[in-house]
Amino acid sequence: TSSRDMRIKSIEKGGKTHSVSKLKAKLDKVFSLWVKERDNWTCITCGKFSRDPHMMNAGHYVSRRHHSLRWDERNVHAQCAGCNCFKGGAMDDYALALQEKYGEGILKELNQLKNQTKQWKAGELLELIERYKV
């Protein structure tokens, strides 16, 4: 198997080949919308409500570069652009909101999980896309 083939990591489904990178992008979109709907388009850190998709983001407490938590429902919440982008995620307020919502151990648990290596397979991503479609 060539290194190019290994990088692509694609599968055959319904006559289409799905690359892992394209599936991640698709999952990011459907998961983001699902998160905003779940949280009633209300910012976890300041309480602002907005149905404008440009004003409300899916804010990650632990950066989405940590693949083990990228689509973890406890790590991602609706967050206004002001808090997510301009206040760097408003991390102090985010941490307090997470503790209130999930209990005292959540920050420690997320911190431990972020160090786990996760290689997503195309089939897993397809399942998550179906699960989070709104």
Side-chain angles (χ1 to χ4, degrees), residues 9 43 69-70 76 85 107 120-121:
K9 296 181 193 170
C43 181
L69 291 171
R70 187 170 182 159
V76 187
C85 301
L107 300 180
W120 290 95
K121 294 182 173 89

Side-chain angles (χ1 to χ4, degrees), residues 8-55:
I8 293 175
K9 296 181 193 170
S10 61
I11 65 163
E12 206 46 50
K13 183 175 191 236
K16 290 184 179 180
T17 300
H18 300 281
S19 71
V20 169
S21 61
K22 286 184 180 178
L23 289 172
K24 285 178 181 177
K26 172 80 171 167
L27 179 53
D28 282 341
K29 287 181 182 181
V30 298
F31 185 67
S32 175
L33 181 57
W34 181 87
V35 165
K36 292 180 251 188
E37 289 287 334
R38 175 198 66 189
D39 296 346
N40 194 31
W41 297 79
T42 303
C43 181
I44 190 169
T45 49
C46 75
K48 179 180 179 178
F49 171 85
S50 175
R51 279 209 174 266
D52 181 344
H54 300 290
M55 297 303 298

Side-chain angles (χ1 to χ4, degrees), residues 111-127:
N111 192 50
Q112 289 171 338
L113 288 171
K114 82 177 182 182
N115 295 316
Q116 292 181 1
T117 301
K118 175 63 179 163
Q119 290 276 340
W120 290 95
K121 294 182 173 89
E124 294 173 303
L125 297 168
L126 284 167
E127 285 178 24

Side-chain angles (χ1 to χ4, degrees), residues 58 87 118 130:
K87 294 182 181 175
K118 175 63 179 163
E130 287 304 311

